Amino acid sequence: MNASSTLRKRSLSVRTRSNGAASAVEGRTADDDAESLGEPVSPSARLVEEYFIVVVIGLGAPINQSSGRAGIGATIACYPRFHSIQATDKDGTLRWVRTTVDLDYHIIFPMLDTAAVLVNPDQAVEDYVASLSTKPMDHSRPMWEFHILDFPTSEATATAVIRVHHSLSDGTSLLMLLLSSTRSAADPSKPPALPPLPARTGAIYVRPRPPMSAGSLAFALWLWSFVLLAWHTMWDAAIFISTILFRKDTQTLFSCTDHGNRRPNRIVHRSLSLDDVKFVKDAMNCTVNDVLVGCTDAALSRYYYRKSGDNKTGKEIRLRSVLVVNLRATTALHAKNTVDRKKSSLEVAFTHVAAEVVHKIFGRKAGAYIVDRMFSNTTTLLSNMIGPVEQVEFCGHPVVFIAPSQYGLPQAINVNFNSYVNTVRVVLAVDETQFPDCHELLDDFVESLRIIKDAAEKHGSHDMKA
């Protein structure tokens, strides 16, 4: 890397927010700059104060400082939330306030131990990303950072680590913003090709009415679908409320053991074959997401029984995951069995509205309490995001892999999947104190997919003989 004086190198020393930083921009209060006041900060953006999205991107070429800086400035930094901070107006309303973006602050070239990088560059990157989870962000600046690690690892020539506060963007929005900043590697004049959108484009409660010629049975089934929707929604809402109040998951080695302190979160990842996942999907007549949920269940089970020595297979263990579902119409998340039923439920909309209503009526602390209890009383978070189906370039740099994750939730383990070209990247964010052997858990994901694929092959062979 040719690091010129334009982008200053510095160690990761991040200034924390002072008492007046929330209502001041470079010494000016929000009232002094009324023209820059934007819309109020949404309740959902205020509910999780220390929740950060982290995306690790492997690059296939050394960092080109000029093109990288220009690309980030022309795309990411121009996005409204990425040149705004939160400030309180004269009425006490927290609003987005536009401010100037200093790219020298947001693009960081950290100084790492040269010897450690030479001995094990993969470990150096992993350790650095883990260190970010213990560092706060300066609330007097837009809360996003690009950390550039310009040395080769086993998978990439260089690594970019994007850290963004959740109030600026959720995981799906951030990934779509990053993808909108990429170009097709085959033809840089074109945006990358993405998989086709799901068949469902409207709200879940929109059920097309069958034509009169379809008969009375079709009409009855149409009405019955609304009955199921109402029943599933009421049942799921009751489960959600009980989870907030008292219903906890079984205490296992996956449970968070330290809710009060911020311990380092280690983010590790491994690639799985998308072709293998699709083979299982076709053999079992399900979806890609169904396969990934099954793979997660199998991997966690393998790890649990190996580490705990618990061979009581009949023992009931409640281990639930918070499934991240995008409420926008552009993407969807599907799963099998339990999640199939969730498709016929308005639980997602209910939980979102409930949190915001409580926030508006009882204040931010009450809304944050609901979110904290939801995550504290469940075991993990599971998400799956769709990436490009072709090789892409980011600011002129070929992208080798994309590994999105997060930290800041009161959970000891989170599981994220992201597809890119012909691979699926499984990304784990774990409490490194509880999971010092997290790479073994990645091995369990690889082995679980292999076992599932073998079973699918046998299932297919059996069907052909039958």
Side-chain angles (χ1 to χ4, degrees):
M1 171 186 66
N2 296 320
S4 71
S5 59
T6 306
L7 289 178
R8 55 191 174 92
K9 280 191 175 185
R10 63 182 178 85
S11 58
L12 188 65
S13 57
V14 183
R15 292 175 295 158
T16 57
R17 174 170 54 177
S18 62
N19 291 335
S23 60
V25 185
E26 301 296 335
R28 302 171 64 189
T29 65
D31 296 335
D32 295 333
D33 197 10
E35 292 183 357
S36 66
L37 287 178
E39 63 183 16
V41 178
S42 67
S44 59
R46 302 177 61 187
L47 292 181
V48 187
E49 285 192 343
E50 298 302 323
Y51 181 26
F52 293 86
I53 310 298
V54 178
V55 183
V56 182
I57 301 179
L59 303 174
I63 298 297
N64 183 310
Q65 176 185 313
S66 59
S67 65
R69 180 185 175 91
I72 293 173
T75 55
I76 307 300
C78 289
Y79 189 68
R81 289 289 179 269
F82 284 66
H83 61 255
S84 300
I85 67 168
Q86 299 177 15
T88 305
D89 65 14
K90 61 182 180 181
D91 298 322
T93 301
L94 193 63
R95 294 181 177 275
W96 290 107
V97 179
R98 289 173 294 174
T99 187
T100 302
V101 173
D102 180 1
L103 289 181
D104 289 348
Y105 180 86
H106 295 278
I107 303 176
I108 302 167
F109 289 89
M111 295 181 291
L112 302 184
D113 186 332
T114 304
V117 171
L118 291 174
V119 171
N120 192 337
D122 289 6
Q123 189 68 44
V125 171
E126 185 181 306
D127 290 344
Y128 181 76
V129 176
S131 74
L132 295 178
S133 66
T134 65
K135 307 295 183 181
M137 270 193 181
D138 185 353
H139 288 241
S140 67
R141 298 177 184 268
M143 291 185 287
W144 61 273
E145 298 166 344
F146 269 77
H147 300 261
I148 309 300
L149 306 173
D150 195 18
F151 54 83
T153 62
S154 62
E155 289 190 274
T157 305
T159 305
V161 183
I162 300 96
R163 182 169 74 139
V164 176
H165 193 273
H166 184 262
S167 62
L168 271 64
S169 176
D170 57 37
T172 301
S173 298
L174 177 61
L175 189 63
M176 296 309 296
L177 173 61
L178 292 174
L179 292 181
S180 69
S181 306
T182 64
R183 311 304 294 175
S184 168
D187 185 355
S189 65
K190 297 181 179 179
L194 294 173
L197 295 178
R200 177 186 294 278
T201 57
I204 192 173
Y205 52 81
V206 176
R207 309 295 174 92
R209 182 172 178 173
M212 297 299 296
S213 59
S216 58
L217 179 59
F219 185 75
L221 292 175
W222 177 68
L223 291 178
W224 179 245
S225 69
F226 286 97
V227 175
L228 288 178
L229 178 67
W231 170 251
H232 291 160
T233 301
M234 289 188 295
W235 177 261
D236 291 337
I239 294 297
F240 171 74
I241 294 173
S242 66
T243 298
I244 300 302
L245 297 177
F246 59 85
R247 195 168 188 258
K248 298 182 179 181
D249 280 6
T250 305
Q251 193 73 20
T252 67
L253 55 83
F254 297 112
S255 304
C256 184
T257 59
D258 191 354
H259 294 284
N261 299 319
R262 177 187 288 178
R263 299 198 300 208
N265 267 219
R266 187 161 293 271
I267 296 176
V268 295
H269 47 89
R270 187 79 57 81
S271 63
L272 304 175
S273 169
L274 183 58
D275 289 337
D276 288 350
V277 172
K278 289 182 176 179
F279 175 84
V280 176
K281 171 188 76 75
D282 294 337
M284 303 305 295
N285 191 27
C286 58
T287 70
V288 166
N289 297 281
D290 299 336
V291 178
L292 296 179
V293 171
C295 185
T296 302
D297 179 86
L300 296 182
S301 297
R302 286 175 57 85
Y303 184 87
Y304 172 79
Y305 287 113
R306 183 175 69 253
K307 293 296 179 181
S308 67
D310 184 0
N311 57 4
K312 299 177 181 178
T313 55
K315 179 182 177 182
E316 181 178 348
I317 297 176
R318 179 189 299 131
L319 192 156
R320 294 174 295 169
S321 169
V322 176
L323 291 173
V324 179
V325 179
N326 186 19
L327 292 178
R328 304 173 186 85
T330 54
T331 60
L333 175 68
H334 303 283
K336 206 62 177 169
N337 297 330
T338 300
V339 183
D340 267 347
R341 194 190 60 74
K342 296 284 185 179
K343 297 176 188 177
S344 182
S345 171
L346 297 178
E347 179 192 11
V348 174
F350 172 82
T351 56
H352 176 74
V353 171
E356 294 212 347
V357 168
V358 170
H359 177 275
K360 291 179 180 178
I361 296 177
F362 300 104
R364 184 195 62 79
K365 290 186 177 180
Y369 174 80
I370 287 181
V371 174
D372 182 75
R373 293 284 292 182
M374 178 178 66
F375 286 107
S376 298
N377 289 345
T378 54
T379 302
T380 184
L381 176 144
L382 177 63
S383 72
N384 178 32
M385 289 179 281
I386 301 174
V389 297
E390 65 171 338
Q391 186 84 30
V392 300
E393 293 183 349
F394 180 73
C395 299
H397 300 78
V399 174
V400 178
F401 67 81
I402 306 171
S405 190
Q406 65 285 310
Y407 67 83
L409 296 175
Q411 293 178 330
I413 179 171
N414 296 154
V415 183
N416 294 267
F417 292 99
N418 187 80
S419 63
Y420 177 51
V421 192
N422 59 351
T423 64
V424 175
R425 181 75 46 165
V426 53
V427 189
L428 305 180
V430 300
D431 183 326
E432 64 177 21
T433 303
Q434 289 185 230
F435 297 92
D437 54 356
C438 51
H439 289 277
E440 290 187 22
L441 183 52
L442 286 176
D443 294 337
D444 288 323
F445 275 86
V446 175
E447 180 64 12
S448 295
L449 178 58
R450 185 193 66 79
I451 294 174
I452 293 173
K453 181 188 176 185
D454 290 346
E457 288 178 337
K458 294 178 180 178
H459 175 79
S461 300
H462 177 75
D463 287 348
M464 290 179 64
K465 292 178 180 180

